[in-house]
Amino acid sequence: MSDVHHDEVIVIGAGLAGLAAALHLQNQGISVQVIEAQEHVGGRVHSMRQHGSNKEAGGTYIGAGYKSVVGAAKDYGIELIDVTPTLEFFREQELVLNEKIIRQAEWPVHPANPFPKMDKSYMPWNYSRILTVRENPLKEPKDWLNPSQSHNDISLFSWMKKLGLSEEAINLAYGINVSFGNNAHDVSALLMLFRAAFSSHQRRYAKEGIIGYTALNGVQQIPIAMANALYKEPHLGKVVKSIDDDGSLEIRCADGATYRAPHVICSIPLGALRDVAIKPPLSKLQHKAIIDIPSQPTTQIFLAHKSKFWESDGLKPSMYTNGVAGMIAAARNGEDPNEVTSFTAWTMGSNAQILDKLPVDEAGKLIIQEIEKIRPSAQGQLEFLGLKSWGADPFARGGWAYFRPGQVTQLYKAIGKPHGNLHFCGEHLSIANRGMEGAMESGKQAATQILNKDITKQMNLD
Ligand SMILES: Cc1cc2nc3c(=O)[nH]c(=O)nc-3n(C[C@H](O)[C@H](O)[C@H](O)COP(=O)(O)OP(=O)(O)OC[C@H]3O[C@@H](n4cnc5c(N)ncnc54)[C@H](O)[C@@H]3O)c2cc1C
């Protein structure tokens, strides 16, 4: 048992990582106070009512093997919805290169297709993923951190080149509105192999044909229910500005509030952590990790449709483009998966940065113009509902962290190293899981570090 007493731990950030840490400690009989910058809990799990039928601006898809997220939904009474019937529609999208539509049936023999002969039938949006699954050396997702894999901490470009792909093929397979960086030079192959191993691992849990879920009334219901299960209500509107360790830890917030505790868990996303002064200073390497590890600019544009314009041009409603509109996905959030309920343009990397520089209405207008240029049937049929930029969000500074070539080997261990009694968690510190599940994994891990510390202390006293 632990010797931590009342208010012994402060957790900074009420996203899934912070809440998982707090509940884990509370379940061990430790009193925890969560403090959160914003006026709501959930962080990058953010469900909205105002933007049409698409309820989610952040984490949406819960894999069948997300043990912690599914477990939390079950424990705190949140109903999960099986989304398997809608997943097949994600494969149904039109490829758009330089504003020209290429039907999927034409792609294998299309002159613009640079993929090797045996792989010509793969579409550009999933070819790099196919390769990282097919050529994956990791037995388990967590093996990405095994030193025996450090030779794969090279750019995805170099890794794909070794497979014999041409530069043109690599740029098309990983260079269009991508999830990490802007092109295959920007991201470590090791991260991509971890992601692929995690997805494959998840598929093993797809029992009874259920591949994944989302939550009834929005995924944010899960962190809300987790926060409600805390004995001490999270303190909202507490923007942490500094953390000082002078024997016990002192946290100062922008509104003047001060918190003290012998142990602190900090779940602030890496990009936002740059704004927090930490004393005594972190080691050079840990500081470098916080400054250098990038977060992906991610901006979503929410659109409503006035008519089923796709029925008049006979094309699929969703499109994957190499233009600024990125991936334009038809949402299917009604009872019937065949029914398109709204659209979301997912823009990432440089596309998101272009939009982030514009006034919100101009960004919406630009995306609608892009879609109308590609398919005239959409002319006058789309309405801009709103936008969410994670890059511009001061409490996220990006959708998710990613590793540049070499950074896994050089910096991963340093990012989450406890600094005295200050512990770190967050999706960027997951070891074996990704996304929401990774965030919860990291929170439990930070809580365990504190529990182990105190157990050790007690054992010494005994
Ligand atoms: C667009 C998008 C789509 C996604 N889709 C999926 C998906 O389908 N499936 C999936 O599994 N994952 C998905 N993810 C990833 C998933 O949402 C995140 O990995 C996870 O929610 C991160 O949790 P976290 O607790 O680490 O960070 P966060 O949720 O960001 O929590 C950190 C908290 O710290 C607070 N904070 C920040 N700065 C301060 C400060 N100075 N003082 C006090 N508090 C502060 C923030 O307000 C926030 O509440 C998606 C993410 C995005 C952005």
Side-chain angles (χ1 to χ4, degrees):
M1 285 302 291
S2 159
D3 67 349
V4 179
H5 303 293
H6 195 68
D7 276 353
E8 200 72 351
V9 182
I10 304 284
V11 173
I12 307 171
L16 286 176
L19 292 169
L23 285 166
H24 197 64
L25 290 169
Q26 179 175 284
N27 289 342
Q28 299 301 314
I30 295 165
S31 178
V32 190
Q33 180 63 59
V34 175
I35 59 176
E36 162 58 47
Q38 302 186 72
E39 293 299 335
H40 58 82
V41 304
R44 279 170 283 172
V45 173
H46 187 53
S47 310
M48 310 157 302
R49 304 236 164 258
Q50 68 273 33
H51 295 328
S53 77
N54 184 1
K55 295 191 195 73
E56 309 297 352
T60 309
Y61 177 74
I62 300 166
Y66 279 28
K67 281 191 193 156
S68 301
V69 180
V70 171
K74 206 167 145 209
D75 290 350
Y76 305 114
I78 302 303
E79 192 179 327
L80 295 181
I81 307 166
D82 174 11
V83 292
T84 314
T86 63
L87 294 181
E88 64 182 272
F89 291 105
F90 281 100
R91 277 178 229 119
E92 284 194 357
Q93 52 185 352
E94 302 294 352
L95 173 64
V96 182
L97 297 181
N98 307 325
E99 296 174 6
K100 297 272 178 307
I101 294 174
I102 301 173
R103 308 297 307 258
Q104 286 201 33
E106 298 163 12
W107 180 242
V109 291
H110 197 277
N113 186 335
F115 296 160
K117 210 168 169 192
M118 65 180 272
D119 288 341
K120 280 203 180 282
S121 60
Y122 292 119
M123 298 306 295
W125 55 78
N126 62 9
Y127 186 41
S128 67
R129 206 180 266 259
I130 299 276
L131 290 174
T132 50
V133 168
R134 195 165 74 191
E135 308 290 333
N136 202 305
L138 311 180
K139 285 202 180 72
E140 296 288 332
K142 66 175 169 39
D143 292 344
W144 74 300
L145 294 174
N146 191 320
S148 68
Q149 288 302 327
S150 57
H151 63 282
N152 283 318
D153 194 11
I154 53 174
S155 73
L156 183 69
F157 185 90
S158 304
W159 186 84
M160 288 171 100
K161 216 53 189 138
K162 281 194 199 171
L163 296 180
L165 267 77
S166 68
E167 192 162 336
E168 201 194 346
I170 298 171
N171 289 340
L172 201 58
Y174 194 93
I176 302 182
N177 197 49
V178 291
S179 301
F180 309 103
N182 285 319
N183 58 53
H185 293 281
D186 293 342
V187 61
S188 169
L190 208 40
L191 177 65
M192 305 306 289
L193 293 168
F194 170 35
R195 183 172 81 152
F198 176 66
S199 303
S200 306
H201 203 67
Q202 282 293 310
R203 289 272 162 168
R204 292 188 215 154
Y205 293 93
K207 285 183 221 129
E208 295 149 18
I210 299 180
I211 296 174
Y213 306 94
T214 194
L216 184 68
N217 298 324
V219 182
Q220 201 178 349
Q221 294 304 321
I222 299 176
I224 290 172
M226 289 168 75
N228 288 340
L230 289 167
Y231 301 148
K232 295 191 142 215
E233 222 175 283
H235 291 176
L236 302 178
K238 302 294 171 196
V239 181
V240 171
K241 291 304 220 186
S242 69
I243 308 170
D244 289 4
D245 188 348
D246 55 4
S248 89
L249 287 138
E250 184 179 84
I251 297 166
R252 287 184 182 274
C253 302
D255 67 353
T258 302
Y259 292 83
R260 284 173 208 273
H263 303 273
V264 170
I265 292 180
C266 174
S267 75
I268 298 177
L270 273 187
L273 191 54
R274 289 171 199 159
D275 298 339
V276 178
I278 299 178
K279 269 203 256 161
L282 297 169
S283 73
K284 270 194 185 150
L285 203 60
Q286 193 161 14
H287 180 71
K288 182 176 166 57
I290 293 169
I291 301 297
D292 287 0
I293 292 173
S295 298
Q296 185 68 344
T298 306
T299 297
Q300 289 155 290
I301 306 280
F302 303 101
L303 303 168
H305 54 283
K306 297 178 191 158
S307 74
K308 296 181 183 175
F309 57 86
W310 55 94
E311 287 184 352
S312 59
D313 63 18
L315 300 169
K316 300 293 181 199
S318 297
M319 299 189 289
Y320 179 87
T321 82
N322 66 347
V324 70
M327 183 179 84
I328 301 134
R332 297 168 190 273
N333 294 319
E335 295 276 297
D336 178 3
N338 290 301
E339 188 201 348
V340 173
T341 48
S342 68
F343 285 84
T344 304
W346 281 75
T347 71
M348 290 184 276
S350 55
N351 289 337
Q353 283 170 322
I354 291 170
L355 297 180
D356 290 354
K357 287 196 189 106
L358 298 174
V360 167
D361 281 349
E362 290 298 314
K365 222 189 265 175
L366 176 64
I367 295 301
I368 291 177
Q369 276 167 4
E370 285 288 308
I371 298 173
E372 290 180 346
K373 257 193 270 170
I374 296 165
R375 54 195 307 172
S377 68
Q379 208 103 45
Q381 300 310 307
L382 290 166
E383 186 192 340
F384 174 55
L385 297 174
L387 164 159
K388 171 68 195 173
S389 165
W390 289 101
D393 182 332
F395 305 117
R397 298 240 192 263
W400 42 78
Y402 67 93
F403 295 90
R404 293 193 202 282
Q407 286 189 329
V408 179
T409 319
Q410 195 204 358
L411 299 176
Y412 183 89
K413 274 198 193 135
I415 332 166
K417 206 161 181 225
H419 186 56
N421 287 331
L422 170 61
H423 297 256
F424 296 94
C425 65
E427 55 87 23
H428 53 283
L429 284 169
S430 59
I431 292 172
N433 298 282
R434 295 207 46 81
M436 295 186 274
E437 186 68 6
M440 288 192 68
E441 176 207 309
S442 76
K444 284 185 193 163
Q445 192 181 291
T448 305
Q449 285 168 358
I450 291 182
L451 290 168
N452 286 346
K453 229 182 208 176
D454 286 303
I455 288 166
T456 314
K457 201 156 75 184
Q458 198 181 43
M459 278 166 64
N460 290 343
L461 288 174
D462 287 344

